[in-house]
Structure formats: structure tokens, C-alpha cells
Amino acid sequence: MGKLSATAVKAALGKPGTYQDGDGLFLRVDKRGGASWTLRVQRDGKRSDISLGSAKLVGLAEARSAAVNVRRAVKVEGRDIVAERRAKKAEAVTFREAAERYYGENKGGWKSNAYAVQWLSSLERHAFPKFGNRPAGDIAAADIIAALAPIWQAYPETGRRVRHRICTVLNFAHARGWRVSEAPSTTGSLKAGNGLPKQTGERQHRKAMPYKAIPAFMTDLRAKPSFGRLALEFVALTAARSQEVRLATWDEFDLEEKLWTVPAGHMKRGKAHIVPLSEAAMAVLRKAAALKLAGTEIVFPGVSGKAMSDMTLLKVLRDAGEPFHVHGFRSTFTDWAADKTSFANAVVEAALAHKTPDATQAAYRKTTHLEKRRGLMEAWGAYCASEAGGKVIAFPAAGGAAK
């Protein structure tokens, strides 16, 4: 016979404390008014407390009946009720849901909005298609290796980042009780040379196109307009980073003044950057405007209307048979400026939004060389169009959606 009665339980609900009924069953009432039934059992020498529900919803008789069933399952059937409940809870949370939950809780503390967008989009491209809709608790090393296989050696840095982010999500799921174990170890089964092949180097990473090849490449690029081609052309003409172009929205541009103000959240250094636009770059924007998709303010949108991925720009290069990297156009621009112009290095570095390496110079140098950069970028744009006699190629009549 238990020590508690229905009357005693009713009275206890208003008094914080722990009330024993016997055989491991007790009622716990907290200071905030919460009350729950808990059964304490031992299995394989380990003690566990198993919740039997809210005392405001489960009566004394029901709690005792539930306790009998749990004791039988543990002592007679040898079941691990705690593990079973954990597994059942994990089944309800997919990897995608765990990733989005982690993203939502942590993005506010990241260095920039651009990084936050890139963090989630990398999982959308490489992880979600493989196991996004599967329970987070089911994802094993073999699943991660299969998702990383297409990019692990072709794009080593991207592969390592995606591996880290997948494991971060799985560890988060483990901490929340949606997964029994932590993520597979990156020094174990997910280490290069173990489950994953050794990376042979960054063969294609940041490889730059020679500036002498730019005019002919630009001519070929303009032959078949699409958002991907336009974005790549704009990357080359502005010497901007890929993410700055991919995330660009129309409100960032002053078309009358021919200026593009890249917001701090899109910049690597977290500081806004003003880019003077050459006539060639303005022509790209006019083309993008002619193809503008309804419902999005992204200048160079992907198929869904959201920002396109870096892989889209790389695919444009690969489809053209070029072995170079998107980021390499910044090096191409730098080499051209050094070999073919008399612009000071400080002007070129300002165009690239590079940090002044000397701390003392940085403290006193307040100019952004904007007017000089106008001349620099106009000269670069004219050079890029020099295959057509130095003139910006006119855009053909727009028709249909870009790919």
C-alpha cells in the first residue's frame, strides 16, 4: 500500500517538495507550481529517474499503474526504458530540423550575416539532399562520408567546412536529447586517411585566369545571358568577392552615381565598402534588370529567387572549360593593375577592400581613394571589353527567364 492518498496529493500540489509513495514512486512539486510523477529504478547497477507525467494530468492510481508497468519492463523484460524514450524522441527530429534549430539559436553571435547565410546554404547544398529528412539520431559516419564524397577532394576547404558543420549539428542534437551519441569523430572515422580519402591539395582553389585571357573569355560569357553568367561577369568587373555579388540586392546600388555600397554584413572584414561601377559593370546591371524575377530583390538570384550558391558561379567556369576559381578574378585584376597601369598599390588595395597591413598607416589613412578607384575600375572594364574594340557589348533583347 502506498503512503500517499488522493487527498494528500491534492494538498501537496500547493506545497513545493518531494513526496514518497513507496517502491521508488514519488511526487515532485517545484516552486513554480509544476508537479510530476517520477519512478526511480535500477538497471545494471545504474539508477535512473523515469518521468511518468504531470501530476496535474495523471492521478495517483494512474501513476501507480504506470509504475508497475515500468518496473516489469525493467526488471522482468530487461528493457532500457530511458534509452527507448530517448530514441523515440530522436525519431521525431530530423537532421534538417536540428540544423535549422541550431542556426536559429546561434546565428546572432556569428561574425556577419553573410557567414550565417553561407553556413546554412552549405548544408542545404551538400547535406540536406542526402539525409536532411532523416532522424538526426540515425545519421552515421557512412552517411556523412557519402555526402562529402563529391566535394571532399575537388573542393577540399568546402569539404572540411561542411564536415565540421554536420558534426556541429549532430553534437547539438545529442545535447538536446535527439541523438543517443555524439557526432562521429573527425579524428576517427571522419579523418582524412580513415573513412575519408586523403585530400591531395587545393589544386583548383583560387587559381587565377591570366589577364590576357579575360577579354576573349568575357566575349564568350556574354554570348548566352543567364543570371549565373551575369554574376560571374560582375565578379570579374568589380573585383569583388563572390558572396558580395551573390547576396547583392537592388537597394545597394546608386545607379545615377554609379556606386555600389556593399553592406558590412556581406563583407569579409565586416565593414561597408563602396565600389565605383564602370560602364561595363553598369551594362551588366542593366541586363540583370531586364531579366529581373518577380518577388525578389536579389540582383543575381538563383532558381528559387534566393541567393545563388558559389557552386553556380564555379559551374559557369567549368561549363566553359576553364580550370580557374571564381575568387581568382581578384588576383587577375591585381596582376593587370600592376603590369598595365600606373595606379598606386594603395588604390588597388582599396579597390579590393584589403586591410592596410601596417597598423600605424591604417590609423592615419582615412581616404578610400574613391575618385582614383573610379578611373581604375573604368580602365579595367574597358580592358575586359577590349575584345570588342574597347566598347561595352550591347545586351540583346531580353526574353524568358535566366537559368
Side-chain angles (χ1 to χ4, degrees):
M1 179 66 68
K3 299 178 181 179
L4 296 175
S5 65
T7 302
V9 170
K10 185 176 181 180
L13 294 179
K15 300 177 182 179
T18 300
Y19 303 88
Q20 301 285 343
D21 186 58
D23 290 334
L25 177 64
F26 58 92
L27 170 65
R28 178 176 293 157
V29 181
D30 62 36
K31 294 180 180 180
R32 294 174 297 178
S36 61
W37 293 108
T38 302
L39 179 66
R40 182 163 293 171
V41 298
Q42 279 199 340
R43 182 179 182 277
D44 297 333
K46 295 182 179 179
R47 188 180 71 183
S48 299
D49 287 345
I50 300 173
S51 175
L52 301 180
S54 169
K56 296 182 179 179
L57 301 175
V58 178
L60 177 59
E62 292 177 280
R64 286 172 175 170
S65 177
V68 170
N69 292 333
V70 171
R71 289 193 204 98
R72 181 185 300 114
V74 173
K75 296 182 179 180
V76 178
E77 300 171 14
R79 290 162 53 190
D80 188 338
I81 300 298
V82 175
E84 289 177 9
R85 289 187 174 184
R86 188 182 296 123
K88 185 175 181 180
K89 184 179 181 180
E91 289 177 3
V93 180
T94 66
F95 178 84
R96 180 190 296 272
E97 290 169 339
E100 290 174 347
R101 179 74 173 270
Y102 176 86
Y103 170 79
E105 293 184 9
N106 291 275
K107 65 179 181 179
W110 289 341
K111 59 183 180 181
S112 69
N113 291 334
Y115 175 79
V117 171
Q118 195 273 338
W119 191 95
L120 189 59
S121 65
S122 68
L123 295 181
E124 289 175 340
R125 291 195 302 273
H126 306 299
F128 292 172
K130 297 291 186 181
F131 47 73
N133 294 328
R134 288 175 51 194
D138 286 356
I139 309 305
D143 301 308
I144 302 172
I145 291 170
L148 294 175
I151 58 173
W152 184 250
Q153 289 184 307
Y155 315 108
E157 184 177 350
T158 299
R160 292 192 294 271
R161 287 177 179 172
V162 173
R163 178 186 64 177
H164 174 72
R165 289 164 187 171
I166 290 173
C167 291
T168 296
V169 172
L170 294 182
N171 285 334
F172 173 74
H174 172 64
R176 293 302 174 92
W178 305 330
R179 181 179 170 86
V180 175
S181 62
E182 295 182 337
S185 173
T186 54
T187 59
S189 57
L190 295 185
K191 181 182 178 181
N194 289 353
L196 287 163
K198 284 188 176 295
Q199 293 180 322
T200 55
E202 309 267 347
R203 296 187 303 275
Q204 299 177 351
H205 189 62
R206 303 180 188 278
K207 188 176 182 181
M209 179 181 289
Y211 64 78
K212 292 181 180 180
I214 283 286
F217 175 70
M218 287 295 198
T219 298
D220 292 340
L221 198 60
R222 297 180 180 117
K224 184 181 178 182
S226 71
F227 280 125
R229 286 168 171 256
L230 290 173
L232 186 63
E233 184 179 358
F234 201 69
V235 164
L237 289 170
T238 57
R241 295 180 178 88
S242 165
Q243 71 173 11
E244 296 158 16
V245 172
R246 290 184 293 105
L247 299 178
T249 54
W250 285 108
D251 61 359
E252 297 172 14
F253 294 89
D254 184 336
L255 300 181
E256 291 187 5
E257 294 296 326
K258 297 172 63 174
L259 294 174
W260 171 28
T261 302
V262 186
H266 294 181
M267 294 296 297
K268 181 178 180 180
R269 293 174 54 209
K271 294 183 178 180
H273 176 56
I274 298 177
V275 181
L277 299 170
S278 65
E279 182 52 37
M282 290 292 292
V284 173
L285 292 179
R286 289 193 288 271
K287 299 171 189 180
L291 294 174
K292 191 175 186 299
L293 296 181
T296 180
E297 286 301 308
I298 298 288
V299 178
F300 306 106
V303 176
S304 65
K306 297 179 180 180
M308 66 176 63
S309 74
D310 200 26
M311 302 298 286
T312 301
L313 301 185
L314 189 60
K315 185 177 185 299
V316 173
L317 280 169
R318 296 297 174 264
D319 288 347
E322 301 291 353
F324 309 108
H325 194 275
V326 177
H327 194 81
F329 285 109
R330 287 166 62 82
S331 295
T332 302
F333 167 75
T334 302
D335 292 343
W336 166 83
D339 291 351
K340 295 295 183 179
T341 78
S342 59
F343 286 93
N345 184 61
V347 177
V348 177
E349 291 296 295
L352 295 168
H354 279 168
K355 180 179 180 180
T356 303
D358 187 286
T360 302
Q361 289 184 20
Y364 288 96
R365 182 180 294 165
K366 302 301 182 182
T367 180
T368 62
H369 301 288
L370 180 59
E371 292 307 314
K372 292 180 179 179
R373 285 194 286 125
R374 283 186 186 274
L376 172 64
M377 301 315 293
E378 194 61 57
W380 172 238
Y383 174 79
C384 290
S386 61
E387 181 81 0
K391 296 180 180 179
V392 177
I393 297 175
F395 183 52
K403 295 182 180 178

